Amino acid sequence: MAFSTTSSRSADMAKLLLIGRLGKDPEVRYTKTEKEYISYTIATSNQGPVPEGAQPTTTWHHVLSFNPGANNYLRTLKRGSLVFAEANFELRQPDPNADPDSPEGQRQIFLRHESIRVLRVPRGEAEENVSE
């Protein structure tokens, strides 16, 4: 991975496109200043060649949404839904004064929700919707 030392421009961005399943129902949370946001987790599986005897690995991506309009929709999503999500990606460097074992003392990936589309609902959900 290479990083540039030149100053950023307003057109610079980092995006992450994810296709995976929601690990649990999206959760309503609050910042220290009582601003509401939604937290959700998408599980993706590495689909490349797997060494003999090894199992494919799952990566868990934690995404935060601070957009009230999007949050209303995110509340309706259910665990197990196959989704296509787009998020802004930010790498936060550790605080040199923090305990290295604390979250503040470690490098963190921050994913900010931009959009999401449900590709497939969980099987139980689809059967419930047909019977109603």
Side-chain angles (χ1 to χ4, degrees), residues 37 87 98 104 114:
Y37 68 97
E104 295 80 15
E114 196 160 287

Side-chain angles (χ1 to χ4, degrees), residues 5 9 26 51 66 82 92:
T5 57
R9 294 171 280 163
F66 295 92
L82 181 66
R92 294 187 176 174

Side-chain angles (χ1 to χ4, degrees), residues 41-119:
T41 303
I42 298 176
T44 59
S45 296
N46 298 331
Q47 297 296 325
V50 178
E52 191 174 325
Q55 295 293 320
T57 58
T58 299
T59 303
W60 298 92
H61 308 273
H62 303 284
V63 185
L64 305 176
S65 173
F66 295 92
N67 179 323
N71 291 355
N72 289 333
Y73 176 67
L74 289 169
R75 288 176 201 191
T76 68
L77 302 182
K78 297 295 178 195
R79 175 181 182 251
S81 297
L82 181 66
V83 297
F84 173 80
E86 185 175 347
N88 291 324
F89 176 94
E90 180 184 334
L91 185 62
R92 294 187 176 174
Q93 295 302 324
D95 179 349
N97 300 320
D99 176 359
D101 293 330
S102 72
E104 295 80 15
Q106 299 175 8
R107 189 179 340 183
Q108 297 179 349
I109 296 172
F110 182 74
L111 299 176
R112 185 182 300 265
H113 169 86
E114 196 160 287
S115 67
I116 194 166
R117 185 172 63 199
V118 175
L119 302 176

Side-chain angles (χ1 to χ4, degrees), residues 21-25 78-82 120-122:
R21 296 199 179 274
L22 291 178
K24 57 184 175 180
D25 291 351
K78 297 295 178 195
R79 175 181 182 251
S81 297
L82 181 66
R120 192 176 317 131
V121 296

Side-chain angles (χ1 to χ4, degrees), residues 23-36:
K24 57 184 175 180
D25 291 351
E27 297 178 342
V28 176
R29 295 188 177 174
Y30 296 90
T31 65
K32 292 177 185 175
T33 59
E34 296 301 313
K35 182 177 179 185
E36 182 182 283

